[in-house]
Amino acid sequence: MTLFQGNLVDTQEHHGMLRDNVGKLAGGFGRSYFQNCVKEGRKPVELWDALGQGGFLGVHVDEEYGGGGGGLADYNVIVEEVAAQGCPILSLVIGSICAPIIQANASEALKKEWLPGLANGTKRLAFAITEPDAGTNTHRISTTARKDGDGWTLSGTKYWTSAVDESEAIMVVARTGEPDARGRGKLSLFILPSDAPGLTRTPIETALAVPETQFTLFFDNVKVPADALIGTEGEGMRNLFAGLNPERVCAAAINNGIARYALEKASQYAKDRKVWSQPIGAHQGVSHPLAKAYVAVQQARLMTARAAELYDAGDPAAGEAANMAKFAAADASLEALDQAIQTHGGNGMALEYGLADLWFIARLHKTAPVSREMILNFIAQHSLGLPKSY
């Protein structure tokens, strides 16, 4: 791909080489490979394994645990490049949550148990936080972990938990102790096997054309040993922020990659497709919307790269930047994808052109991992200093 070459959004010198290497690897699989995985109901194991063997899944993990010793800025490049080749792997976003949380907060035993496998792709973790009745208000989750002898017993329900069927274990956010006067429960994080007795799962039918399956999870007095606790009891909310800002950045990276893929396809089609002996791209009715979408996508990519850089630097401004990046990337990718489909005319709806079935993946990130409305609430309150609205 050529439209997005250059170092406009790269924050480190090696990012150009990293983009090239990941792009070539993922491009060797490509959009049709990903579509076939979805169509045939199989997982993109070959691509995942190749990314792991290439050292790309663990660039943000410390070297002492088998990672690349880089940070979120590197991982952002990788997630975007894979999506830009037509392979938007949502599980890469999970990798941006679990590994940083473990690295920042877990015991040395848990770090040694999980980080090397997460870094090379031989181990997988799902992440369970969302609940049917809690939504964005994580403080009000109802899944509880009660002390039980030397360990814990988990009870409750989780919703929209992705790729449990591909994961050896699940990182679960649960309430421990009684809620405070404001009804806010103290949270704790646990890792438990995905086949633990008492844990059942039900697939959720979705419009997403992705290999990952979404699940509702039911915890019926699931026994968890004491050493499954990540960090300190009751400090789960603080520990979560090691993973939630990266989650926003990598959700943005998925959409930035989708947008790049769409604009590459649209611009080439607009040059090749001729009507009345002239390429359709010569008409401003086609070229201007694509140019406008390109500007928005580049702005979203810049914000995403800056958010990742701030996170790696430990700058508190990373939270604001990560939220804005996710917001901008969702809107920009949908504009780019919509215009790419329009440029293709009827072909835009044909699956062989690889555009229409990306729609709901891109649309997902206007709602998740945090809704655009909650991002606007955050910006209004914390950036503009306006009264809290909820």
Side-chain angles (χ1 to χ4, degrees):
M1 294 192 177
T2 58
L3 291 186
F4 295 89
Q5 286 182 343
N7 61 359
L8 175 66
V9 306
D10 292 336
T11 58
Q12 298 182 31
E13 288 186 6
H14 67 273
H15 282 174
M17 182 181 297
L18 182 61
R19 287 187 186 281
D20 186 59
N21 290 337
V22 177
K24 287 178 179 177
L25 187 154
F29 293 87
R31 182 76 187 128
S32 60
Y33 163 82
F34 193 84
Q35 286 180 304
N36 286 334
C37 285
V38 174
K39 181 179 179 180
E40 297 166 11
R42 59 187 175 88
K43 311 301 182 182
V45 176
E46 301 87 356
L47 175 54
W48 185 268
D49 289 347
L51 289 168
Q53 291 163 11
F56 299 124
L57 297 178
V59 293
H60 57 320
V61 174
D62 286 348
E63 289 181 299
E64 65 177 299
Y65 301 109
L72 184 60
D74 290 349
Y75 197 66
N76 167 56
V77 169
I78 289 163
V79 177
E80 181 189 296
E81 289 302 319
V82 174
Q85 300 299 326
C87 304
I89 301 179
L90 297 180
S91 290
L92 289 173
V93 179
I94 302 174
S96 74
I97 306 169
C98 295
I101 288 177
I102 292 172
Q103 187 161 277
N105 304 292
S107 66
E108 190 63 26
L110 283 177
K111 290 178 183 180
K112 290 179 178 178
E113 179 182 357
W114 284 103
L115 290 177
L118 293 177
N120 63 26
T122 59
K123 283 191 173 184
R124 301 278 292 274
L125 278 172
F127 181 67
I129 183 171
T130 304
E131 295 187 1
D133 298 322
T136 304
N137 188 358
T138 303
H139 287 288
R140 297 300 297 270
I141 65 173
S142 59
T143 298
T144 59
R146 306 185 314 275
K147 285 188 176 180
D148 185 0
D150 293 333
W152 303 80
T153 297
L154 266 67
S155 299
T157 304
K158 294 294 182 182
Y159 194 47
W160 283 98
T161 303
S162 181
V164 178
D165 55 335
E166 301 176 66
S167 304
E168 288 82 4
I170 309 166
M171 184 180 294
V172 181
V173 183
R175 180 162 51 84
T176 50
E178 296 301 320
D180 60 20
R182 294 178 295 174
R184 295 162 64 121
K186 290 185 177 181
L187 305 179
S188 299
L189 304 179
F190 301 87
I191 294 179
L192 64 147
S194 54
D195 60 354
L199 171 60
T200 56
R201 63 197 190 208
T202 302
I204 301 171
E205 291 189 29
T206 78
L208 300 173
V210 294
E212 293 89 355
T213 303
Q214 310 297 320
F215 291 93
T216 300
L217 303 180
F218 303 94
F219 301 88
D220 183 12
N221 294 321
V222 176
K223 304 298 181 182
V224 181
D227 59 5
L229 174 68
I230 298 175
T232 303
E233 176 191 350
E235 294 186 4
M237 181 57 75
R238 181 182 63 81
N239 296 344
L240 277 172
F241 283 103
L244 295 187
N245 284 330
E247 179 188 32
R248 286 153 173 71
V249 167
C250 290
I254 288 273
N255 281 50
N256 290 335
I258 289 173
R260 284 178 49 192
Y261 176 85
L263 288 178
E264 292 278 1
K265 291 292 185 182
S267 62
Q268 189 62 54
Y269 191 85
K271 287 184 283 189
D272 295 340
R273 172 71 168 162
K274 290 185 178 181
V275 178
W276 296 296
S277 302
Q278 186 167 229
I280 62 174
H283 301 293
Q284 292 178 351
V286 174
S287 65
H288 282 190
L290 291 175
K292 179 176 179 291
Y294 176 86
V295 171
V297 170
Q298 292 292 63
Q299 290 173 329
R301 294 179 71 219
L302 281 165
M303 178 59 75
T304 307
R306 180 60 174 151
E309 185 180 42
L310 289 169
Y311 176 85
D312 288 338
D315 194 313
E320 178 190 51
N323 277 289
M324 290 193 294
K326 206 279 291 187
F327 185 97
D331 282 353
S333 65
L334 287 169
E335 179 184 2
L337 185 55
D338 185 61
Q339 194 55 44
I341 291 172
Q342 188 69 16
T343 299
H344 280 73
N347 286 334
M349 299 298 171
L351 292 179
E352 68 176 286
Y353 286 83
L355 295 170
D357 49 342
L358 287 171
W359 180 261
F360 282 105
I361 310 172
R363 180 60 181 81
L364 168 68
H365 290 140
K366 281 177 75 83
T367 303
V370 60
S371 70
R372 66 188 308 276
E373 290 78 15
M374 287 306 297
I375 289 178
L376 293 175
N377 282 336
F378 177 90
I379 297 299
Q381 180 184 348
H382 295 284
S383 303
L384 301 179
L386 300 176
K388 187 175 182 179
S389 63
Y390 60 96

